[in-house]
Amino acid sequence: MKFTFTFFGNELRVQILDLYRTNCKLTHRACCLKVGKTSLIMSLVSEEFPEEVPPRAEEITIPADVTPERVPTHIVDYSEAEQNDEQLYHEISQANVICIVYAVNNKNSIDKVTSRWIPLINERTDKDSRLPLILVGNKSDLVEYSSMETILPIMNQYTEIETCVECSAKNLKNISELFYYAQKAVLHPTGPLYCPEEKEMKPACIKALTRIFRISDQDNDGTLNDAELNFFQRICFNTPLAPQALEDVKNVVRKNVSDGVADNGLTLKGFLFLHTLFIQRGRHETTWTVLRRFGYDDDLELTPEYLFPLLKIPPDCTTELNHHAYLFLQSIFDKHDLDRDCALSTDELKDLFKVFPYMPWGPDVNNTVCTNERGWITYQGFLSQWTLTTYLDVQRCLEYLGYLGYSILAEQESQASAITVTRDKKIDLQKKQTQRNVFRCNVVGMKGCGKSGVLQALLGRNLMRQRQIRAEHKSYYAINTVYVYGQEKYLLLHDVSDSDFLTDAETICDVVCLVYDVSNPKSFEYCARIFKQHFMDSRIPCLVVAAKSDLHEVRQEYSISPAEFCKKHKMPPPQAFTCNTVDMPSKDIFVKLTTMAMYPHARLRCMCACNRCTFCICQNFLNSDLLQSVKNKLFTAVLNRHVTQADLKSSTFWLRASFGATVFAFLGFAMYKALIKQR
């Protein structure tokens, strides 16, 4: 006889197959060759031995709340006397675990386990995904001995056999245990974890547990100390370990593994030994609990649900990391910055990404974010790259945070809690304020005009350092922090294509940087044409940058000069820029670009390039559309409501006017002081 458990979604379906062909004319009492599979089912359900046993039991459903694993279980009795071989083969193909039942007092039934039923099952299943088998010795109440001596060689011969249970349907011995082990074989299979022939864990299991160890080793010292072990115990099993229990665990490891404990902490070798011990002692559900808590499925692969949690992003919204995510990434950086130089060396970066299945960052990242003089990614560059990934490809960011174990270490439901979805940009424009921290600037210009120099200048690299960049390591993005009115913001520069027409994706940004080469007479024409085609009628602010300003400036072959063009289209005047400097290039244009992205409604027109001096601040404020609008409305209201022709000739009017001018000057001076203090 055979039990077949088939797992459908969140349910466990159990088919009971009669593997002994019987003559249907025989009465139940005469069927002495039966091993009692139907009696086992009925004893489980009624908790008493049935006096009358039908040839085949009706389908039975065990609710989830009465099973240890809280999985609903369907038990279907299959009889070979009533159903054909095709139905038997179909049930085998649908099964997740099979329980082969034999009678402990019938040697013939034991022999048929190996002579017929295991070969039959293996013929109908794939070699690489053999079904777990459970041997069930029924009628143990009829003998005073155990069949285990006979069964153990069979278990050693067939690695797909999970365990053997001796039971009795008559006195209810081990009935519930039988179904518990059957469920356990489905939900906590031994096959993916352990190789009985080698008596060691399989490589995939070792790889998964090694990643879990690295994530749990929060100080990266190569051992799990008591605090880390307690945290691990709590997040996996919802309960901490008592101090004595911790010592007992470490003592077991010390006795069996020479280097399993170091500095009173559990090493990776000791951690793997413990899980091997759990599996060998039949407690592989412990290992599976750990694996599933860290996102693994039955094939020891991280599940899509774990790596890519649901995150809804409405149109015209962007994605940013929140404060908790930055704190987590800061802890990750500190964990792997072993020499405490605020930069990650090549080896330190490789060590950080050991919990990834592949190396996620290529050499172009070093030319996208800030590095130190040795080319190592700095702390600021590390956070900038994560900010860039979140903005451009949030799904990849969720995947990366999953590999790092964000939801486990931060004790959050998923990585989605690390992401802030900004509000619609149209709402920002209506309210004339934004809460976003990342702003995208598309850098437009013809080939050779100096766009790459602008991108690298954002990272503080002059022309000499830029010449050291290999062509194959070139990046079309650059991101760094910029301070605007005391607020730290991220400016993301994107070098778009130099084709005659930009794609829709290349026009989506917060601000546009139009770059032309002052030494090339044909350079500005391209910027003017792109501006008229895509940005003249849009609400995206634009800034013209006169690159290579250290070279001799030539007259541009365009109908009007760049300065006149900017004045005509109400843009700030062209900003002179060069990266051919001894020290770091000036960051004035980046402050201005970020300011324009933050306040696109203001259309600020600074008279110089710094945007930081007192003159620039006041000039921006006085020339802003907001202040001009308030001034015009106030002037109109005063004239329409309070001023008559007679008032204009009276001394009282001029007294009131003088008083108003004094108040306005006082308020202006107070605002000036506030701005200076903020700067």
Side-chain angles (χ1 to χ4, degrees), residues 171-194:
N171 60 22
L172 307 182
K173 176 185 176 183
N174 290 341
I175 299 298
S176 59
E177 284 79 1
L178 159 63
F179 287 90
Y180 166 72
Y181 282 118
Q183 287 184 327
K184 183 177 174 181
V186 175
L187 301 174
H188 309 300
T190 308
L193 306 180
Y194 189 73

Side-chain angles (χ1 to χ4, degrees), residues 220 331-338 340 344 348 351-352:
N220 201 28
S331 68
I332 293 295
F333 184 92
D334 292 340
K335 172 181 176 179
H336 294 277
D337 183 20
L338 300 179
R340 298 293 181 263
L344 295 178
E348 289 172 340
D351 185 58
L352 188 153

Side-chain angles (χ1 to χ4, degrees), residues 99-114:
C99 298
I100 302 176
V101 184
Y102 64 91
V104 294
N105 63 340
N106 189 311
K107 189 177 183 302
N108 184 46
S109 67
I110 298 176
D111 292 340
K112 283 200 171 183
V113 169
T114 55

Side-chain angles (χ1 to χ4, degrees), residues 260-304:
V261 177
D263 298 326
N264 204 35
L266 195 65
T267 65
L268 173 60
K269 195 170 182 180
F271 184 75
L272 295 176
F273 165 77
L274 276 181
H275 283 282
T276 303
L277 194 62
F278 290 146
I279 297 169
Q280 290 174 342
R281 293 185 177 181
R283 291 177 53 194
H284 37 279
E285 68 273 12
T286 302
T287 301
W288 274 116
T289 300
V290 171
L291 290 167
R292 286 180 176 139
R293 178 66 181 89
F294 280 78
Y296 289 93
D297 60 13
D298 289 351
D299 297 321
L300 298 183
E301 297 287 343
L302 291 171
T303 65

Side-chain angles (χ1 to χ4, degrees), residues 529-558:
R529 177 158 40 87
I530 293 296
F531 174 81
K532 289 182 176 180
Q533 288 175 352
H534 300 283
F535 303 110
M536 186 168 67
D537 298 324
S538 73
R539 302 182 69 177
I540 302 175
C542 298
L543 181 69
V544 176
V545 173
K548 305 182 183 179
S549 60
D550 58 303
L551 301 179
H552 175 68
E553 184 174 2
V554 299
R555 187 179 185 280
Q556 295 295 315
E557 296 179 1
Y558 193 68

Side-chain angles (χ1 to χ4, degrees), residues 207-255:
K207 181 180 178 181
L209 290 174
T210 300
R211 170 181 169 268
I212 292 170
F213 178 88
R214 293 185 183 278
I215 291 173
S216 303
D217 182 15
Q218 298 184 46
D219 57 8
N220 201 28
D221 64 349
T223 64
L224 298 182
N225 57 39
D226 288 358
E228 292 166 341
L229 283 171
N230 258 316
F231 180 81
F232 173 83
Q233 176 76 10
R234 181 167 57 82
I235 62 172
C236 291
F237 305 102
N238 297 318
T239 178
L241 280 174
Q244 187 56 49
L246 277 173
E247 284 303 314
D248 292 342
V249 168
K250 286 185 278 190
N251 287 334
V252 170
V253 175
R254 285 190 187 99
K255 291 178 181 178

